[in-house]
Amino acid sequence: MDTVRPGSALRGPTMGERFLKSWKRHKFLYLLILPGVIWALIFCYGPMYGIYIAFIDFKPRMDFLSSFFQQKFVGLKWFEYFFTTGDFLRIMRNTLMTSLITLLFSFPAPILLALLINECRLTRFKKTIQTISYLPFFISWVICANIFLTIMSSTGVVNEALKALGIIRSPILFFQQGRLFWVLLGIANTWKGMGYNAIIYLAAITSISSDIYESAMIDGANRLQRVVHITFPCLLPTVSVMFVLAVGGLLNAGFEQQLLMSNNTIITYSDVIDTYAYRYGFGSGMYSYGSAVGLFKSVVNFIFVITANTFVSRIRGRTLV
Amino acid sequence: MKNSALPNRHNPFSRRNGHLSYDIAVTVLLAFIGFICLYPFWNVAIISLNDAQDTVRGGLYFWPRKFTLESYREVFKNKELIHAAFISLARTVSGTVIALFFNTLLAYGMSKKDLFGSKFFGYFFVFTMYFGGGIVPYYMVLKTVKLIDTFWVYIIPGAISVYNMILIRIYMESLPQELEESAYLDGAGDIVVLFGIVLPLSKPVLATIALFTAVGQWSSWFDTNLYTYKTSLKTLQFILVQILNNYDLGNSKSVAEILQQASKQNPVSSDSIRMATAMVVTVPIIVVYPFVQKYFVKGIMIGAVKG
């Protein structure tokens, strides 16, 4: 297409020239990337353009593309509203409590499961258990919500069984007391993700060198000692990576779970930042307010996740190379 | 997962040292975990198969007390539900095929490092995984491109998943380059190389992505809830959400009250219908699950090792 300009070899090819050269060779590849770029521009960068909604007074009838140029900007009005009405503290409490209680259950469970699976010597049995353990991951939250509403209700099988065993006298009201609902979410999240997360730990266990085990056996370490002194310490890098990632995702305290399982009695406890933004944005038609809350979450979450990822690459850099 | 490389299973010492109690403890704990994972499904199944009025009495643990298929008969009488099942199936099949196509094309395009701008495109796509505009602007975009209340709202926004694309790309990068090069030398064109050589070799990862996408499509309800209004576009999951929303949690009422209410109503109460619907939605997953689950593990591993 273009002839190379004289002298270009001396100063090195410019961006444009490098692109043209690459374009000639890789037309086909650019053609393959093009639909993806268009898709991302519309469905990922388009909503980012829409961030301005948080800074105007957007009404449902307004035009999305032109409002940016036509509407008056209201500054940080919606953010001030969020921080001063008192909702902010409550929503953050709910978000963090839900995440932390979930973390309390869902973080150790897959580690334990992976260690158990690794220690089990009945090959078929352990394969079966492993397959069963990640079945809940495949089931939609709609089904899970139905299941939990049934088995955890005051007359459900969990309460009945605990009563029959004499552990409790009166049923635990998971769906009527806000704090218990956090616990319920922790249990539900753990149940759904345990098998899935165990896969990563199992992979890490597989990569532990067998030499270490052999020398420990020669030294007379029994199986439990080997788990405690070899398998678990060798898992620690993976554990810390997973922990950092989990902490980085603290603001993602769920969305579907709350929408499906909560009710009006406990909504002041079940509302996390995502459900709050959604309910105000769509339920009350306060589009701008919902956008502002959503934007606040996106920005803080972005900082959290990027920080976590930086830590992870440091951990990986040092221990896993 | 293969752990056979580990020495402890074949280790003669542990047998000699008689760690029977250790083995029993491990087995019992694993069995307990398996029970916890599986039992909730079983509980739903027996409630759906039990007589509705009898269910209200509680105490159903392992077997239905009064076996009946009445709830299922009731569920399948519902024309709306049959239509919803069709929509669910349609979006799962077409959504998976289309997403697989576009993700694969993009992944292949992104897998060549000597492409000028490939680094830029990498950041361009990865950034979208970490930052988004939020749900309200997203809705406005869908409205602007006229996807709201159409079947395509299930397909086009999900036609590409950056995460899945990266998984495919990582896999393609690990394939030996010589195969492609020799094909080019033999005079094969770009399309032949992509569809004749790279795609067949990438089958394992494509199966994984197909599985991820299909499960996601089948499980999805929120898009139906927010982006569609027509009843003709409602999916199975959404029907279940509607049943769920109408469902009284039952906690605030005494058993006697519920019994009284149940006897006044249709003998098939909301509870059994709800459970039977849940079963209808779950069974397709459980049926295909044993055959596809190995691809699932593979996919996680690609993501965990490289990502």
Side-chain angles (χ1 to χ4, degrees):
Chain A
M1 270 195 250
D2 274 15
T3 49
V4 181
R5 273 180 289 163
S8 64
L10 289 174
R11 48 176 177 81
T14 63
M15 294 282 269
E17 283 159 1
R18 278 167 62 202
F19 172 70
L20 276 179
K21 206 179 145 209
S22 177
W23 166 254
K24 272 184 212 161
R25 266 190 66 193
H26 296 306
K27 261 183 214 155
F28 181 62
L29 295 181
Y30 283 112
L31 194 70
L32 295 185
I33 295 177
L34 185 67
V37 171
I38 295 171
W39 174 88
L41 284 176
I42 296 173
F43 296 108
C44 300
Y45 289 93
M48 288 185 216
Y49 163 79
I51 282 172
Y52 76 87
I53 291 177
F55 301 96
I56 65 169
D57 199 350
F58 194 83
K59 295 278 187 292
R61 295 259 164 243
M62 286 178 187
D63 183 61
F64 173 64
L65 291 176
S66 61
S67 294
F68 178 75
F69 305 101
Q70 290 164 356
Q71 297 299 316
K72 197 166 62 93
F73 277 77
V74 295
L76 297 175
K77 174 183 158 192
W78 299 113
F79 293 90
E80 269 168 43
Y81 189 75
F82 181 47
F83 291 115
T84 52
T85 51
D87 278 349
F88 170 72
L89 285 177
R90 186 173 56 84
I91 295 304
M92 284 315 278
R93 176 201 68 182
N94 296 350
T95 307
L96 292 177
M97 284 310 285
T98 307
S99 281
L100 289 174
I101 290 178
T102 295
L103 204 60
L104 194 69
F105 295 119
S106 73
F107 192 71
I111 304 175
L112 186 72
L113 177 60
L115 290 175
L116 282 172
I117 287 176
N118 186 55
E119 286 305 302
C120 183
R121 296 196 293 184
L122 308 166
T123 317
R124 278 201 79 86
F125 173 71
K126 90 175 170 189
K127 276 232 163 84
T128 313
I129 295 291
Q130 209 201 336
T131 305
I132 289 173
S133 74
Y134 42 73
L135 176 62
F137 185 79
F138 279 86
I139 303 300
S140 70
W141 269 115
V142 182
I143 304 287
C144 291
N146 269 292
I147 289 176
F148 278 89
L149 282 169
T150 306
I151 64 170
M152 306 290 263
S153 77
S154 59
T155 53
V157 67
V158 170
N159 271 313
E160 298 266 324
L162 289 177
K163 255 195 272 180
L165 292 171
I167 298 170
I168 52 167
R169 286 242 178 88
S170 51
I172 308 173
L173 303 172
F174 285 106
F175 299 101
Q176 287 203 293
Q177 289 175 9
R179 289 186 182 82
L180 286 178
F181 188 71
W182 295 337
V183 176
L184 173 92
L185 286 177
I187 295 171
N189 289 330
T190 308
W191 182 74
K192 204 160 187 296
M194 178 170 60
Y196 172 87
N197 289 318
I199 294 176
I200 288 154
Y201 292 111
L202 274 167
I205 293 176
T206 320
S207 66
I208 300 173
S209 153
S210 55
D211 299 351
I212 313 178
Y213 288 102
E214 275 157 27
S215 53
M217 281 187 297
I218 292 165
D219 291 344
N222 66 29
R223 285 172 69 192
L224 187 62
Q225 282 169 326
R226 273 179 268 152
V227 172
V228 174
H229 296 292
I230 300 173
T231 316
F232 190 68
C234 287
L235 262 188
L236 274 182
T238 313
V239 172
S240 44
V241 165
M242 298 299 282
F243 186 73
V244 170
L245 290 178
V247 172
L250 273 185
L251 286 190
N252 297 318
F255 181 69
E256 294 185 35
Q257 300 93 304
Q258 281 88 349
L259 289 185
L260 292 166
M261 290 195 279
S262 180
N263 58 67
N264 284 333
T265 323
I266 50 171
I267 199 136
T268 47
Y269 284 87
S270 67
D271 235 358
V272 293
I273 195 154
D274 284 331
T275 54
Y276 182 81
Y278 164 69
R279 284 199 310 112
Y280 272 89
F282 293 99
S284 320
M286 295 170 75
Y287 285 74
S288 288
Y289 184 52
S291 301
V293 175
L295 177 60
F296 167 76
K297 192 247 169 175
S298 291
V299 171
V300 178
N301 195 48
F302 182 72
I303 297 168
F304 269 42
V305 172
I306 293 299
T307 314
N309 283 7
T310 315
F311 270 109
V312 165
S313 49
R314 269 196 209 157
I315 298 170
R316 283 208 167 140
R318 207 171 40 235
T319 52
L320 296 174
V321 185
Chain B
M1 207 71 35
K2 273 188 209 143
N3 289 317
S4 48
L6 290 184
N8 49 357
R9 194 186 312 137
H10 308 292
N11 154 35
F13 299 116
S14 56
R15 274 181 206 284
R16 194 192 63 196
N17 291 350
H19 288 304
L20 190 63
S21 54
Y22 186 82
D23 276 325
I24 290 175
V26 166
T27 312
V28 167
L29 281 174
L30 274 180
F32 180 65
I33 291 176
F35 175 77
I36 288 176
C37 291
L38 211 51
Y39 178 74
F41 296 106
W42 182 249
N43 197 255
V44 169
I46 60 170
I47 290 178
S48 73
L49 289 170
N50 198 55
D51 179 72
Q53 270 174 299
D54 182 68
T55 303
V56 188
R57 278 171 47 214
L60 282 170
Y61 294 131
F62 295 104
W63 302 109
R65 224 174 2 230
K66 284 187 184 169
F67 181 86
T68 171
L69 288 172
E70 200 45 54
S71 310
Y72 286 91
R73 231 166 268 146
E74 203 66 27
V75 166
F76 284 111
K77 254 191 232 162
N78 188 344
K79 289 231 168 55
E80 209 179 309
L81 187 123
I82 305 292
H83 183 77
F86 173 73
I87 296 287
S88 280
L89 194 67
R91 72 173 284 182
T92 303
V93 172
S94 55
T96 306
V97 171
I98 289 172
L100 210 53
F101 181 73
F102 282 104
N103 278 319
T104 308
L105 294 195
L106 182 59
Y108 183 68
M110 299 281 296
S111 68
K112 299 286 175 265
K113 285 288 161 259
D114 61 330
L115 185 82
F116 179 73
S118 72
K119 215 170 182 163
F120 165 77
F121 289 127
Y123 285 118
F124 176 80
F125 285 110
V126 167
F127 182 66
T128 65
M129 293 207 316
Y130 293 108
F131 191 76
I135 191 167
V136 177
Y138 187 71
Y139 179 89
M140 290 300 154
V141 167
L142 293 183
K143 204 170 150 186
T144 308
V145 296
K146 302 233 166 6
L147 281 175
I148 295 289
D149 216 17
T150 64
F151 180 74
W152 293 105
V153 80
Y154 296 145
I155 311 293
I156 296 175
I160 285 169
S161 145
V162 174
Y163 183 75
N164 289 348
M165 180 274 285
I166 290 174
L167 289 189
I168 304 176
R169 200 201 69 204
I170 289 170
Y171 194 89
M172 285 176 169
E173 280 169 2
S174 72
L175 297 174
Q177 286 300 304
E178 296 78 23
L179 284 171
E180 283 177 59
E181 279 160 22
S182 60
Y184 276 119
L185 286 179
D186 291 343
D190 292 317
I191 292 176
V192 175
V193 170
L194 172 57
F195 288 97
I197 294 177
V198 179
L199 281 201
L201 287 173
S202 307
K203 251 186 223 154
V205 74
L206 296 182
T208 303
I209 302 304
L211 173 64
F212 281 160
T213 316
V215 170
Q217 284 282 3
W218 182 261
S219 304
S220 184
W221 64 276
F222 187 72
D223 46 10
T224 315
N225 175 52
L226 190 58
Y227 310 138
T228 67
Y229 309 109
K230 283 187 217 139
T231 18
S232 60
L233 288 174
K234 298 305 179 197
T235 58
L236 263 190
Q237 304 277 353
F238 185 75
I239 298 270
L240 196 52
V241 173
Q242 280 181 318
I243 295 176
L244 192 66
N245 286 342
N246 293 331
Y247 173 64
D248 189 332
L249 289 179
N251 291 323
S252 49
K253 288 182 184 164
S254 70
V255 176
E257 274 178 297
I258 298 169
L259 261 176
Q260 202 186 10
Q261 212 179 35
S263 60
K264 272 189 217 154
Q265 290 168 353
N266 193 314
V268 181
S269 79
S270 62
D271 217 15
S272 330
I273 291 276
R274 192 166 65 85
M275 288 300 125
T277 317
M279 284 310 288
V280 171
V281 182
T282 317
V283 161
I285 297 267
I286 293 187
V287 168
V288 295
Y289 178 68
F291 304 100
V292 295
Q293 53 92 13
K294 63 175 177 184
Y295 295 110
F296 167 68
V297 176
K298 265 187 206 145
I300 312 260
M301 301 290 287
I302 302 171
V305 174
K306 301 280 178 66

